[in-house]
Amino acid sequence: MTPFLFSLFLAAQRTASLRHDDETQASLINRLLRSYLHYSLYDQADKLISKTNFPASAPNSQYARYHYYLGRIKTVQLDYTAAHTNLQQAIRRAPAPKLAPGFYQAVHKLFVVVELLMGDIPDRSLFRHPVLDKALHGYFDIVKGETHPLFVVQVSSAELTLPT
Amino acid sequence: MVRECLALGILPSSSIGRLSGESLSTFVAPCRTPSGRVHGGRPRFSAEAPARDRSRNRDILPPSHPAPPPHLAKLLLRIDLANETVQKIQSLNRRSLDPIAARVWFALERAYELGGELSDARPYGTFGLPAFPR
């Protein structure tokens, strides 16, 4: 997104919030967060979250995205407890794993990384899930103790792409 | 409007049957074919759009500009279409369009995102796009 597009989306977001167009507003907040994260503008994303109220009547799909982006931001800010809560919410609100496997995998990758960073061992049954077992293979090696935990840093930076 | 949403891929073609009410008929009206039939499935918007594209960008692009590869042309049409639909929704100014507007904004951002990734990789990236300050 260019600065012009950011201002376009921000203006639309202001209009939507004034008109109480909840669905549009939820969508626009998520779009803006996604773009900020795409360019690693975590401070601006955090500012947007603090200045806007995510509409309570937003659909689950938007809530799932919002919690995922929030989880990402909190992870970068090293607030792992908040990140964990948000990612758990994202997993709960996410559509069925077979319906949106990309999102499910992306959320779980970050979730496993956050759990490892908190010093917890993720649940083993997670790695046997038909949608997740291939995507989380590298993370399972870390959990089993076969790979050095430093590998988690490489894996997370290489594989944590933004799902749509 | 329904036709645009179908072309943007944000409304499944099966949903036409589920939509009803007077608001739909107002929006479908311009989408009717001469035979009076409503467009079904994914309409081909590529046939009419390039003409509009060229006339609009005549002052930006030299006439000798090479044509973009087909997949990029499709993406640029998508950006154009999403832009036009957003403008249309804003000019209609109806609260009932809220759920559709949410999806159109999604399509617009996604199209620009894909366009941005392509412009990083190829020199054609800015073809047909207004010259935004970077």
Side-chain angles (χ1 to χ4, degrees), chain B residues 26-48:
Chain B
T26 36
F27 297 130
V28 170
C31 302
R32 279 181 197 280
T33 54
S35 60
R37 209 162 48 85
V38 177
H39 273 298
R42 213 167 264 260
R44 292 161 157 265
F45 59 93
S46 49
E48 47 185 282

Side-chain angles (χ1 to χ4, degrees), chain A residues 34-161:
Chain A
R34 184 185 168 74
S35 306
Y36 284 139
L37 295 191
H38 182 81
Y39 292 107
S40 305
L41 300 167
Y42 286 92
D43 288 348
Q44 296 206 41
D46 195 40
K47 232 177 225 168
L48 179 75
I49 289 168
S50 62
K51 303 246 172 174
T52 51
N53 290 324
F54 196 75
S57 65
N60 258 351
S61 55
Q62 300 294 356
Y63 254 115
R65 289 187 179 102
Y66 185 68
H67 281 300
Y68 172 68
Y69 295 142
L70 225 60
R72 253 182 106 94
I73 293 163
K74 295 289 177 203
T75 311
V76 170
Q77 292 171 343
L78 309 182
D79 187 354
Y80 298 132
T81 321
H84 193 265
T85 329
N86 277 309
L87 291 169
Q88 233 164 8
Q89 284 292 323
I91 291 167
R92 274 187 209 139
R93 301 243 187 191
K98 288 264 163 64
L99 207 69
F103 183 79
Y104 203 69
Q105 288 166 359
V107 179
H108 272 96
K109 275 179 192 173
L110 193 59
F111 186 67
V112 169
V113 170
V114 168
E115 280 211 330
L116 286 170
L117 286 167
M118 287 171 84
D120 293 346
I121 303 291
D123 194 9
R124 293 258 172 150
S125 62
L126 205 68
F127 301 100
R128 284 195 292 273
H129 194 284
V131 174
L132 298 174
D133 63 346
K134 252 187 203 156
L136 295 182
H137 186 75
Y139 300 83
F140 191 34
D141 286 349
I142 297 164
V143 172
K144 281 189 294 187
E146 286 176 10
T147 315
H148 196 273
L150 273 180
F151 182 63
V152 82
V153 181
Q154 285 172 11
V155 174
S156 57
S157 58
E159 290 197 24
L160 287 179
T161 47

Side-chain angles (χ1 to χ4, degrees), chain B:
Chain B
M1 185 72 69
V2 173
R3 189 172 59 157
E4 275 102 338
C5 290
L6 283 170
L8 285 168
I10 51 175
L11 202 66
S13 52
S14 55
S15 64
I16 278 202
R18 278 188 271 125
L19 294 168
S20 59
E22 55 87 32
S23 65
L24 180 67
S25 57
T26 36
F27 297 130
V28 170
C31 302
R32 279 181 197 280
T33 54
S35 60
R37 209 162 48 85
V38 177
H39 273 298
R42 213 167 264 260
R44 292 161 157 265
F45 59 93
S46 49
E48 47 185 282
R52 263 184 320 190
D53 225 8
R54 266 200 298 278
S55 61
R56 188 189 304 160
N57 292 317
R58 193 175 290 147
D59 42 354
I60 303 172
L61 296 167
S64 61
H65 201 286
H71 69 284
L72 256 179
K74 212 170 168 186
L75 183 72
L76 295 168
L77 283 176
R78 208 185 145 108
I79 291 179
D80 248 21
L81 189 67
N83 254 328
E84 276 173 30
T85 316
V86 161
Q87 279 164 17
K88 207 177 201 177
I89 285 174
Q90 283 181 338
S91 66
L92 283 168
N93 201 17
R94 295 270 289 256
R95 278 188 61 82
S96 53
L97 282 175
D98 177 32
I100 290 181
R103 279 146 201 264
V104 173
W105 280 109
F106 169 85
L108 184 67
E109 194 269 348
R110 184 71 184 143
Y112 271 115
E113 190 182 295
L114 292 172
E117 280 167 20
L118 285 169
S119 72
D120 290 343
R122 284 164 180 268
Y124 301 106
T126 50
F127 176 86
L129 290 181
F132 296 137
R134 281 243 171 212

